[in-house]
Every structure is written in C-alpha cells, then in structure tokens.
Amino acid sequence: MIKNDISNQLINVQKNGKMRRIRALLKKEFIQVFRDPSSILITVFLPLLLIFLYGSGVSLDLDHLRMGLVMEDSSPDAQSFVESLQGSRYFDLKISRHRKDIVDDLMKGSIRGFFVIPSYFSQFRSRPDTIAPIQIIADGSETNTANFVQNYAEGTIQNWRAQQLYTQGLVQEQLPVISMQPRFWYNEKLESRYFLLSGSLAIIMTLTGSLLTALVVAREWERGTMEALMSTTASAFELVIAKIIPYFILGMISMAICVIISVFIYDIPLRGSFLLLTLVSALFLLCSLGLGLMISTLARNQVFAYQVTLIVAFLPAYMLSGFLFEIYSMPQWIQYLTYIIPAKYFVQSLQTLFLVGNVWTLILYDMVPIVVIGLVFFLITASKTVKRLD
C-alpha cells in the first residue's frame, strides 16, 4: 500500500514537472514570437498580401478583351452584328475599314484578335441557303486567350443569329429538335475568383506554416540556443510541443483573417460548416508546421531552410495541388507524384467546403492523407531530434 502511494506521488511529481517545463517553454516561445518581427511578417502581412493579390489582381476571366473589327460591309445587318459585339462585356472593339490597320495592332500586341465582316456579308438575307461568313482571327501565341476568343466569339455570333431569326419570325421554323440548356452547379456565374481565393488559402497556409517553424528553429540552431534547450531536462517531445503550439495559434489566426476577408469582402460563398473548415485547416496547419520542423531539423541554416521550404513546400503546393493547373491534364507520373502533396487534399477540401458544402465522404477522403503525411513529418523530426540529444 505504502509502495503504491509512493509510486503515485512519483507519477504526480513527474506530471507536474512535465507541465511546468512545457509552460516555461511556451512562455519563452511566445516572448520570442512577439520580439521577432519576421514572425508577425509571415503570419499577418504575407497572408494579407496574398489574399488581396488573388482577390483583386488575379483573375482567369476574360472581360473587356481588346479586339479589332474590320467592317468591309456597312449594311444594316452588319451594323446589327457590330452592336451585338459592342454590347458584350467580353470585348472592347477597335473598328476599322481596312484590314491592314488591324493587322498592325495584332502584331504589336495591342489587340488579341479581330473579326472580319466581308463585303458580301449582307447577301445571306437574299440567299437563305448561304451561311453568313464572319472571319475570326486570334493571336495564337497565347493559346488560352485564343481559345477564349474563339469560344466567346462563337457564343456572341450564335446569340446574334438567334435574335435575327426571332425578329424575322423564323423561330418556329429554325428551332432544332434538341435545345441544350447548360447549368453550372456550385459556381453559377463561372467566377474564377471563387476557386482561386479558396485555393489560395492552401498556398497561404503552406507558406505560413512551413516558413514559421523552418526559419525560427533554424535561427535557434544558428545562434546555439537550440543546443542550450537540449541540454535541459526537457524531452524532445516537450520541445516539439512548445515549438508547435505558438505557431499553430498564429497560423489559425492568420487562416481566420483570410477566411473573413474572402467571405465578407470578396463575397466568396461558404456553403459548408465553419467548424468543419476549422478542423480541416487545423489538421493541414499541423502538417505544414511538421514539414517546417523537419526542414529546420535537417537544415540548420536559415538561408538553406528558406530555400528548401520554397522547393519542397511552396512550389509543389502552387504547381501540383490543382490550385491553378488541372491535375488530370498532367503526365501520369506527375499525377502519381501529387498523391504525396498535402496541399492537393487541402485545396480539394476547401473547394468542397466553400462551393459545395459538407460532403463528408469527400472531406474524410482528403483528411486521412493530410493526417498520415503530417505524422510522417513529425516522426522524422522526432527521430532526428533524439539523435542530437544523445
């Protein structure tokens, strides 16, 4: 009985000592964070800069595209077609009678393409069996823009043609048997800002989480304070916990600020649960912090840690997460590589939560790899830290 009491007291003393050490280490880390301007820069100014950049400066939508228009025919039909183009928000037109002027502008890059209304354009009305010829020339040096020009121009021409049939009373005769009526779910207006901003949160959290721990811990290695910490009675686990908690809190505050700006300033819909978004964000942030700790453990130099963080954290998250580039359009071996990029799963989760809602099967499918990859980072960090303590 006495032996049990003594062993219980020893366990309590060990627990109390452990908690005291963690509290002391946390206090030291928080003081260090508030004294270090780079931590505030990474957690506050960098996310704000990126979120405003993606919200206001980056867009994949083509509005007011500069286009030329060569009018070789000035008939009422040609004028009607020009008015339909001018009424479109997709085009800003420069009208000319001579093709040479427009071609010069295309070569200079001041326009992205041009329409040609030929001199025999109006003959289609007197010859119903003849299709009205309109030529579209696009700048193929920018393939995506050229495709947009073609698609938008074809849509505008079809709308104008339908309007012409309606005014001529030919609607019933000319209507096809099948009419396609497209609907776009989850992003009805096809606003690129919706998926850009939600996806950019993954890039911001990757940078914030990995840079915070990578640079701060590497700095301690450079100054020798990490060796001083390891000479204390604090275990490797206590040291890791003390390093993670302050930066986890800063990262979650940063995430909350970005979500508030996205929802209330840029009107990005949040159709999923805020609590579920917090849970997924917390798991991904822990994974990013683990990656930063692993980098700083392997690279004790700040400059080297910064370079490694950009290569193994930022670039894969930016290029291979599906944030900007479609993964299924990549070569097969790169698609396999994306399975080890945690940002890929976070981007999918964010787009599901923001644009679709609480689809638990999809969210759980993305959460499991984030947890597994994060555990691998922490296990590698713990194994390397123990070796140095020896």
Side-chain angles (χ1 to χ4, degrees):
M1 189 69 179
I2 295 173
K3 189 180 288 183
N4 289 337
D5 291 340
I6 293 173
S7 61
N8 289 334
Q9 288 176 3
L10 285 174
I11 291 172
N12 290 331
V13 168
Q14 287 176 349
K15 286 183 178 177
N16 292 333
K18 186 176 183 179
M19 292 306 297
R20 278 201 306 272
R21 286 194 297 273
I22 291 178
R23 281 199 297 269
L25 288 170
L26 283 174
K27 184 178 178 181
K28 171 253 179 194
E29 292 296 335
F30 276 113
I31 292 174
Q32 190 171 346
V33 166
F34 289 114
R35 286 180 177 175
D36 184 8
S38 66
S39 300
I40 305 300
L41 184 71
I42 293 173
T43 53
V44 178
F45 290 104
L46 180 61
L48 286 177
L49 175 67
L50 290 176
I51 201 73
F52 282 117
L53 182 65
Y54 282 110
S56 303
V58 178
S59 173
L60 299 180
D61 303 323
L62 284 181
D63 290 340
H64 303 289
L65 193 66
R66 293 166 298 171
M67 292 287 291
L69 174 64
V70 181
M71 287 191 65
E72 296 177 351
D73 186 2
S74 57
S75 65
D77 287 327
Q79 296 287 348
S80 171
F81 177 69
V82 172
E83 288 175 2
S84 70
L85 287 177
Q86 289 176 325
S88 170
R89 68 182 175 92
Y90 302 118
F91 303 118
D92 284 340
L93 292 178
K94 178 183 178 181
I95 301 175
S96 175
R97 293 284 183 185
H98 306 288
R99 186 184 292 236
K100 182 177 179 303
D101 298 338
I102 299 298
V103 171
D104 289 341
D105 289 333
L106 184 64
M107 292 176 63
K108 295 173 186 173
S110 57
I111 60 173
R112 291 302 178 192
F114 59 91
F115 304 92
V116 179
I117 301 177
S119 56
Y120 49 90
F121 175 77
S122 57
Q123 293 179 9
F124 80 97
R125 195 178 291 280
S126 58
R127 296 173 56 189
D129 57 328
T130 303
I131 299 174
I134 297 173
Q135 188 177 23
I136 306 169
I137 296 177
D139 183 0
S141 60
E142 295 188 15
T143 53
N144 288 333
T145 305
N147 287 328
F148 279 126
V149 167
Q150 179 186 355
N151 294 331
Y152 289 163
E154 287 178 355
T156 305
I157 291 171
Q158 287 176 3
N159 289 337
W160 174 78
R161 179 63 178 160
Q163 183 65 30
Q164 290 294 305
L165 291 173
Y166 179 78
T167 55
Q168 295 171 30
L170 299 176
V171 178
Q172 297 299 327
E173 299 176 11
Q174 299 293 333
L175 276 179
V177 177
I178 299 174
S179 173
M180 186 176 66
Q181 298 181 357
R183 295 287 185 274
F184 303 100
W185 286 13
Y186 317 126
N187 185 1
E188 292 81 4
K189 297 179 182 177
L190 295 182
E191 293 275 353
S192 64
R193 188 178 49 177
Y194 282 13
F195 66 86
L196 278 179
L197 266 181
S198 56
S200 69
L201 295 177
I203 308 300
I204 293 170
M205 296 301 287
T206 301
L207 265 180
T208 306
S210 54
L211 270 180
L212 273 175
T213 44
L215 294 183
V216 172
V217 178
R219 185 182 307 131
E220 292 215 39
W221 284 114
E222 281 185 350
R223 294 174 179 173
T225 52
M226 185 59 79
E227 284 85 350
L229 282 174
M230 289 187 170
S231 65
T232 64
T233 56
S235 66
F237 173 77
E238 292 164 3
L239 290 175
V240 170
I241 289 293
K243 286 291 179 191
I244 288 292
I245 290 178
Y247 300 110
F248 175 78
I249 294 173
L250 287 176
M252 290 305 292
I253 292 173
S254 173
M255 178 71 181
I257 293 172
C258 292
V259 171
I260 290 171
I261 292 174
S262 301
V263 174
F264 293 103
I265 294 183
Y266 291 109
D267 296 325
I268 306 300
L270 178 56
R271 297 181 176 126
S273 164
F274 182 76
L275 289 177
L276 188 54
L277 175 64
T278 304
L279 174 62
V280 177
S281 303
L283 291 176
F284 180 74
L285 181 59
L286 284 173
C287 182
S288 294
L289 291 170
L291 175 61
L293 269 182
M294 187 185 73
I295 292 171
S296 62
T297 305
L298 300 175
R300 297 185 177 186
N301 180 281
Q302 284 189 81
V303 176
F304 187 49
Y306 175 76
Q307 293 172 341
V308 172
T309 302
L310 288 183
I311 293 172
V312 304
F314 174 70
L315 287 180
Y318 191 82
M319 305 289 290
L320 304 178
S321 65
F323 159 60
L324 277 181
F325 308 106
E326 181 58 54
I327 291 177
Y328 293 106
S329 300
M330 299 176 184
Q332 193 66 44
W333 67 273
I334 294 183
Q335 290 187 36
Y336 291 138
L337 188 62
T338 62
Y339 286 108
I340 61 171
I341 308 297
K344 166 191 172 180
Y345 306 102
F346 192 43
V347 168
Q348 293 174 169
S349 299
L350 288 171
Q351 291 177 347
T352 301
L353 284 168
F354 271 92
L355 302 181
V356 182
N358 292 337
V359 186
W360 280 97
T361 51
L362 295 178
I363 300 298
L364 287 175
Y365 173 81
D366 293 327
M367 285 170 65
V368 172
I370 292 175
V371 172
V372 172
I373 295 172
L375 283 175
V376 171
F377 292 152
F378 281 110
L379 287 175
I380 294 174
T381 304
S383 64
K384 293 297 179 183
T385 305
V386 169
K387 279 185 178 179
R388 289 189 173 93
L389 282 174
D390 293 340

